Amino acid sequence: MIVRLGSRWRPVASARDLLSTRRQHRPGAKHPARLIVAGFGVVLLVGTVLLMLPVAAESGEATSFVAALFTATSAVCVTGLVVVDTPTYWSAFGEAVLLALIQVGGLGIMTLASLLGLLVARRLGLRLQRGAQEETKSVGLGSVRRVVVGVIATSFVVEIATAAALTARFAIGYHEPAGRAVYLGVFHAVSAFNNAGFALYTDNLVRFAADPWINVPIMGAFVLGGLGFPVLFEIVRHVRGRAHRWSMHARITLTTYAALSFVGVVAITAIEWSNPDTLGTLGVGGRLVAGIFHGMTPRTAGFNSVDVGEMHPASLMITDILMFVGGGSAGTAGGIKVTTFALLAAVMLTEVRGDTHVHVAGRKLPAAVHRQALTVALAGVGLVFVATVVLLLISPFGLDAVLFESVSAFGTVGMSTGITADLPEAAQLVIIVLMFAGRVGPITFASALALRERERRYDLPEERPIVG
């Protein structure tokens, strides 16, 4: 029989097929990206209301709507930008709310991004196998359960290990009481793995700039969170001997992540080595620890162990680029993702060589992936450009500081030159939009582009414009 679904008539063989097809044509099934936006919006509103309660502030007074909304957005989007001093402004209840929002935001992003990636892979894979079949089966319950359990288990294992290391250091090295040491360890471990950048010290981690026992566990946590669950899952499989070949995604992510981190570490350490306001006053060992930390943290971790506002403009520009690129897909890192950056570099190299097809990691790259990577990158550039211009118009700060703030918000990094709290409320609202768009935008945008892919039934005459 033939039934009408939406604006189209489709043939179905049986009532069971009709029910299955109708499920696939529900708005949520056809546009799963909308569910991500709606879900994060609900968590954001709940967090804002909780932070506005008088009990959430140390003073016992209600927090303004904009300040609560900004802080909740920064926590849910695991960014780390703040308009109030976290350790002195928020009460224990407020800090607990922040910790819960960070955990929910990080787990939500990893889980939903992984499931969307699985949905895209399953749909496109079946499309290639079945040819003309337009609609495909949804992800099986077994796959969903495996992804969700894997994300939660991985998150808790890394967070517990990091918290244990930090707790020991706070207790032994800084003589914190046992309860306080555990609290500090857990909070910073969760913040680190989720690439949130929130710290319970007014100077963030500046007081620990030369301490590798604090810096190394935090770096390890935010690197693992920033690589993304699919890559972590593949690493575990290789360690256990259950896999013999790396996937294209894992190879691209690991290679590009390592290369960009190396460039960041070398460049920032070299530029800031003699800067008396950043690394210059530390010993050689301390400079190396702080330099490595600040070369890695633009992967969207957001912590800082030196005063970012005193960094050389060249260091700020390099950090801008690294923050914009971000970390791995389906992880807690933001940005356009290292895979997008690597694919665009591969496309450019192919064009320079004059080749007709793009090959990456021993595989041919579909033309649709070129367009998706280009679209995501240019959309990010456009969003940052517009936001920067708006901030320059409505705030008293210069281009270096404003551009850094915009890129940090879009990349959900959380580092700042120190202007966040001094921005007018209108500018803070712009930053809120940037953080939200930067957190859910690249994921939903890329998945929507992939899921909308379809064959065109006709083509137009070809003509080449002048390029360059």
Side-chain angles (χ1 to χ4, degrees), residues 290-373:
I292 293 172
F293 189 87
H294 269 270
M296 299 291 292
T297 198
R299 295 270 67 77
T300 80
F303 293 101
N304 66 282
S305 59
V306 300
D307 187 354
V308 176
E310 298 298 331
M311 293 175 72
H312 192 280
S315 296
L316 294 179
M317 191 65 215
I318 291 171
T319 305
D320 283 338
I321 296 171
L322 295 175
M323 291 191 300
F324 183 78
V325 174
S329 301
T332 56
I336 63 171
K337 304 299 186 296
V338 293
T339 47
T340 303
F341 177 80
L343 294 179
L344 290 177
V347 171
M348 184 178 70
L349 183 60
T350 300
E351 190 65 26
V352 170
R353 289 177 173 176
D355 295 336
T356 55
H357 299 291
V358 181
H359 295 92
V360 178
R363 292 288 186 269
K364 177 184 174 182
L365 204 63
V369 177
H370 312 176
R371 298 191 299 269
Q372 291 162 16

Side-chain angles (χ1 to χ4, degrees), residues 187-404:
F187 188 98
H188 290 95
V190 173
S191 182
F193 179 73
N194 291 288
N195 279 239
F198 281 88
L200 293 180
Y201 296 95
T202 300
D203 60 1
N204 204 271
L205 298 180
V206 173
R207 67 187 65 192
F208 308 115
D211 187 350
W213 299 102
I214 296 293
N215 286 266
V216 172
I218 288 178
M219 277 193 292
F222 70 63
V223 166
L224 291 176
L227 286 175
F229 171 73
V231 175
L232 293 182
F233 185 68
E234 195 162 339
I235 291 174
V236 171
R237 289 178 59 202
H238 276 271
V239 170
R240 293 179 176 178
R242 297 181 180 178
H244 304 287
R245 183 182 180 279
W246 292 96
S247 67
M248 175 197 286
H249 174 75
R251 293 172 67 181
I252 292 175
T253 300
L254 292 172
T255 302
T256 310
Y257 194 105
L260 291 176
S261 297
F262 177 79
V263 170
V265 168
V266 172
I268 292 176
T269 303
I271 294 171
E272 299 297 326
W273 188 264
S274 301
N275 186 344
D277 296 318
T278 55
L279 304 184
T281 58
L282 302 174
V284 174
R287 295 184 194 187
L288 291 175
V289 171
I292 293 172
F293 189 87
H294 269 270
M296 299 291 292
T297 198
R299 295 270 67 77
T300 80
F303 293 101
N304 66 282
S305 59
V306 300
D307 187 354
V308 176
E310 298 298 331
M311 293 175 72
H312 192 280
S315 296
L316 294 179
M317 191 65 215
I318 291 171
T319 305
D320 283 338
I321 296 171
L322 295 175
M323 291 191 300
F324 183 78
V325 174
S329 301
T332 56
I336 63 171
K337 304 299 186 296
V338 293
T339 47
T340 303
F341 177 80
L343 294 179
L344 290 177
V347 171
M348 184 178 70
L349 183 60
T350 300
E351 190 65 26
V352 170
R353 289 177 173 176
D355 295 336
T356 55
H357 299 291
V358 181
H359 295 92
V360 178
R363 292 288 186 269
K364 177 184 174 182
L365 204 63
V369 177
H370 312 176
R371 298 191 299 269
Q372 291 162 16
L374 184 62
T375 303
V376 169
L378 287 181
V381 170
L383 189 60
V384 169
F385 175 80
V386 171
T388 301
V389 171
V390 172
L391 290 177
L392 286 172
L393 291 173
I394 63 178
S395 71
F397 301 103
L399 178 59
D400 281 353
V402 167
L403 177 61
F404 193 93

Side-chain angles (χ1 to χ4, degrees), residues 147-165:
V147 169
V148 173
V149 171
V151 168
I152 295 175
T154 301
S155 300
F156 286 162
V157 167
V158 175
E159 289 173 356
I160 290 172
T162 306

